[in-house]
Amino acid sequence: MNTKNQDIYNKLLVSAEEAISHINDGDTVILDMGCCEARGIERALVENYEKFRDVEFYQMIVCGPTPFAEEQYKGHFKYNSLFASASNRKAIASGYADYTPCFFYEMPEVIRDIIKPRVSICSVCPPDENGYVSLGANVDYIGSTIDYCEVKIAQVNKYVPRTLGGAVRHISEFTHLVEIDEELPEVPTIPLTDVEKAIGKNCASLINDGDCIQLGIGGIPNAICAELAHKKDLGLHSEMVGDGVVDLIKSGVINNSKKNIDRDKTVVSFLFGTKKLFDFIDNNPEVEVNPIEIVNHPLTIAQIDNFVSVNSCVQVDLMGQVVSDSVGYNQISGVGGQVDFVRGAALSKGGRSIIAMPSAAKGGTISKIVPVIDEGAAVTTSRNDVDYIITEYGIARLKGLSLKERAKALINIAHPNFRDELALAYEKRFHQKPF
Ligand code: COA
């Protein structure tokens, strides 16, 4: 680093204990999420928990533990999730922690204007010669907090990839820097089941050469990637991506050559994968990691022709109401960008949105297509927004269909073990047999 930037860096460099001493009792703190969570600083907070009272943390998806949601820190820490994850679902269900529903593209504005955190904590890679760092695998909502939080703490970690685009920030934009190197948590790719392979094939049949795609979270995206190897000139504009896209970009299947905006570039807002993905995005000018309020804004997506969004869900009722982030009263994830992309794709010229899911859950014992959604469940994508529903048994396009037509189309792609039950529910509701 040149002398001027080295001086700035040296002035900002403190220990984790010193950095967290700037957090006051009663403060609201916004935390980085996913693979770039600033775990070193979070550890320091947990080790020093007795020094804090009523500090509230907001955070989206986490890969590992969520110590701030543990009841043992009651009175010291509170946790408010923006996307429930495995390690905090129980705390939310028990009422100890909480969940805040919010469209992902609106999150930065809601955080700034309503939640109003005084402190932000994130990870960055080490600075370059000119003092520029990168937010790495996560820009999402955390990027914009750097513009307005009073205390801006960054963990400088050599394992954070230097991603480009909106991820790049100057060290002088932070108030405290803490050097802690530690490998990023990885989200491994799980081998595909036959059901996922069939879903992947059905989804891929709706993706044409030249389309621009978004892939959601869960088991389905990698199944789709596996089926795209023979497509041409695909674009990628997605809130998140995992390992599955690396080979498609390297082989040129995804080349972004037909995009109306960000031509020749893959645009994402966060990445969720393994070292294979982190190495691929490191200093890669073909990939931009940009703020969620831009990437996920339906009006950004609308500018890209032939946009195909693919997301997943836990339940669809016979009217086409899609439940994706709760199982009954249990908050299992969050709305994330599902509705942002469903609406953006609907606005795109030639655009389509797909909700893809296995037809049954829990080893085939529970139908995901149901007459009515479970008590307590929240509708994520409304029946007015829904377009294609896909299972391993086929494709149902609901847009433009009446209630009866939708129900029939959905019964046809339900798991065969549940079709009779669903047909009876249809008969009860519409006073006639479906077929
Ligand atoms: N009834 C009861 N339980 C159900 C169920 C149903 N109909 N459907 C799913 N489940 C359970 C599963 O058994 C699993 O439980 P477990 O963790 O105890 O095994 C859990 O719910 C998660 O389901 P699974 O199918 O493993 O999820 P996934 O990892 O494939 O992700 C979603 C699927 C829907 C949860 C995920 O895509 C999501 O959170 N979507 C909403 C947000 C979104 O789409 N954002 C856009 C991109 S971020």
Side-chain angles (χ1 to χ4, degrees):
M1 233 182 321
N2 57 36
T3 326
K4 183 175 156 222
N5 287 307
Q6 189 66 57
D7 284 349
I8 298 173
Y9 190 77
N10 293 345
K11 273 193 198 125
L12 296 175
L13 198 60
V14 292
S15 67
E17 285 68 27
E18 158 72 26
I20 60 171
S21 72
H22 295 274
I23 300 174
N24 298 334
D25 290 349
D27 264 349
T28 300
V29 178
I30 184 90
L31 296 171
D32 214 341
M33 69 167 198
C35 298
C36 274
E37 212 179 323
R39 293 170 162 224
I41 295 168
E42 291 182 13
R43 265 198 312 278
L45 277 159
V46 172
E47 280 159 18
N48 292 283
Y49 75 96
E50 284 175 321
K51 295 181 186 158
F52 300 96
R53 290 217 67 80
D54 294 326
V55 176
E56 184 163 27
F57 296 93
Y58 280 79
Q59 185 177 39
M60 220 173 152
I61 194 161
V62 290
C63 304
T66 315
F68 308 114
E70 287 171 19
E71 216 156 344
Q72 70 185 101
Y73 302 115
K74 196 173 181 165
H76 302 282
F77 299 143
K78 282 192 277 188
Y79 191 77
N80 203 319
S81 170
L82 298 161
F83 194 103
S85 310
S87 61
N88 50 51
R89 281 177 194 156
K90 271 197 188 139
I92 296 169
S94 74
Y96 180 65
D98 211 348
Y99 165 77
T100 301
C102 182
F103 292 131
F104 207 174
Y105 85 95
E106 283 186 340
M107 216 175 266
E109 194 181 324
V110 167
I111 294 170
R112 187 192 63 216
D113 296 344
I114 299 169
I115 297 172
K116 296 186 174 151
R118 199 180 70 86
V119 181
S120 70
I121 299 178
C122 66
S123 289
V124 295
C125 72
D128 67 9
E129 173 62 21
N130 297 310
Y132 286 97
V133 293
S134 164
L135 293 159
N138 290 80
V139 175
D140 44 67
Y141 58 86
I142 200 76
S144 64
T145 64
I146 296 158
D147 299 331
Y148 59 82
C149 277
E150 207 178 308
V151 177
K152 296 172 263 205
I153 302 171
Q155 174 175 340
V156 183
N157 179 358
K158 72 175 183 190
Y159 292 98
V160 169
R162 174 172 288 280
T163 57
L164 306 174
V168 178
R169 294 299 180 127
H170 194 261
I171 45 170
S172 56
E173 295 179 68
F174 296 90
T175 57
H176 305 88
L177 300 173
V178 181
E179 282 179 352
I180 305 172
D181 290 330
E182 54 191 344
E183 295 211 30
L184 305 186
E186 298 195 3
V187 183
T189 306
I190 296 160
L192 299 177
T193 62
D194 289 343
V195 167
E196 285 167 340
K197 284 182 194 164
I199 294 169
K201 277 201 173 67
N202 285 338
C203 291
S205 74
L206 292 184
I207 299 172
N208 304 320
D209 291 345
D211 283 349
C212 183
I213 56 170
Q214 172 257 336
L215 299 170
I217 193 162
I220 307 291
N222 284 329
I224 297 166
C225 290
E227 296 297 330
L228 295 179
H230 302 297
K231 306 277 177 187
K232 280 198 212 93
D233 297 331
L234 294 182
L236 181 58
H237 178 101
S238 194
E239 118 192 9
M240 63 164 287
V241 286
D243 283 15
V245 301
V246 175
D247 293 339
L248 292 173
I249 301 176
K250 280 187 176 167
S251 65
V253 169
I254 293 175
N255 61 16
N256 299 297
S257 63
K258 301 278 189 261
K259 267 187 180 173
N260 312 67
I261 54 169
D262 305 310
R263 178 80 45 102
D264 301 328
K265 280 189 199 295
T266 286
V267 172
V268 297
S269 196
F270 75 96
L271 302 106
F272 221 45
T274 67
K275 195 166 178 304
K276 174 179 174 176
L277 181 65
F278 305 144
D279 287 347
F280 177 69
I281 57 174
D282 188 45
N283 244 323
N284 185 341
E286 283 175 55
V287 182
E288 279 197 6
V289 188
N290 286 334
I292 203 73
E293 62 270 35
I294 298 170
V295 176
N296 274 33
H297 201 298
L299 296 180
T300 305
I301 301 158
Q303 293 173 56
I304 308 174
D305 293 348
N306 303 311
F307 199 97
V308 186
S309 83
V310 190
N311 292 290
S312 192
C313 71
V314 296
Q315 212 169 44
V316 180
D317 74 10
L318 288 180
M319 293 183 290
Q321 300 195 97
V322 177
V323 174
S324 310
D325 55 308
S326 55
V327 173
Y329 286 101
N330 259 347
Q331 188 64 46
I332 63 156
S333 59
V335 56
Q338 181 168 123
V339 179
D340 305 346
F341 278 94
V342 165
R343 291 189 174 157
L347 291 167
S348 144
K349 191 172 153 207
R352 289 139 275 160
S353 76
I354 298 170
I355 302 288
M357 58 167 188
S359 63
K362 302 282 177 207
T365 58
I366 298 177
S367 178
K368 291 189 145 205
I369 296 177
V370 289
V372 284
I373 61 173
D374 288 353
E375 183 181 318
V379 172
T380 311
T381 292
S382 84
R383 63 183 186 172
N384 310 301
D385 285 311
V386 73
D387 194 0
Y388 286 92
I389 302 282
I390 288 184
T391 70
E392 69 275 28
Y393 291 103
I395 301 172
R397 186 169 204 196
L398 304 187
K399 196 157 264 190
L401 297 192
S402 69
L403 291 182
K404 285 192 280 184
E405 288 166 340
R406 284 165 180 239
K408 283 192 260 188
L410 286 167
I411 294 170
N412 278 332
I413 61 162
H415 192 290
N417 291 351
F418 301 102
R419 287 186 197 170
D420 289 348
E421 260 172 56
L422 292 166
L424 276 176
Y426 180 103
E427 207 177 326
K428 202 170 149 203
R429 179 165 181 160
F430 297 114
H431 313 290
Q432 55 193 253
K433 288 190 187 302
F435 306 109

